[in-house]
Amino acid sequence: MATLTVFTPLYNRINTLKRTYESLKRQTSKDFVWLIIDDGSTDNPYEIIKEWIKINNGFEIKYVYKENGGMHTAHNTAYENIDTELNVCVDSDD
């Protein structure tokens, strides 16, 4: 089990999420899970994310879809799905 969850709230930002993904792939420590909380995006991010999930990047990618409710509800959903000791939020445009 990983020590850290990196969670990313997402709403219609698949283009910027690609940079976040590339950054996470470059990390030297892969002791984390990347949890993506899709807050009702309409730009169909799962089509790209499901391809990333299939690749062995050295870290697990989890995807959770929820109806749009705003960033605070995406954070709440993330906390409901985190089972690691530590967590950090990395926004989709970071």
Side-chain angles (χ1 to χ4, degrees):
M1 175 193 270
T3 304
L4 173 68
T5 296
V6 176
F7 72 91
T8 303
L10 176 67
Y11 181 73
N12 290 341
R13 289 190 173 222
I14 190 60
N15 290 332
T16 59
L17 189 70
K18 292 174 184 178
R19 290 187 310 218
T20 305
Y21 172 65
E22 292 300 323
S23 177
L24 291 173
K25 287 191 333 183
R26 289 190 302 270
Q27 300 307 301
T28 56
S29 174
K30 305 289 181 145
D31 186 22
F32 64 89
V33 174
W34 187 23
L35 174 61
I36 302 166
I37 306 297
D38 182 352
D39 190 30
S41 295
T42 59
D43 61 352
N44 201 18
Y46 186 65
E47 291 304 310
I48 293 172
I49 294 167
K50 74 179 178 183
E51 296 303 316
W52 297 343
I53 291 171
K54 293 177 187 176
I55 299 169
N56 181 3
N57 298 296
F59 58 91
E60 181 181 1
I61 300 173
K62 293 182 181 178
Y63 172 84
V64 175
Y65 177 87
K66 62 176 278 321
E67 293 296 320
N68 181 262
M71 184 176 288
H72 65 288
T73 64
H75 277 246
N76 291 341
T77 300
Y79 294 128
E80 292 168 359
N81 287 276
I82 292 171
D83 57 5
T84 57
E85 179 182 355
L86 304 170
N87 68 80
V88 64
C89 177
V90 175
D91 286 328
S92 58
D93 59 351
D94 283 347

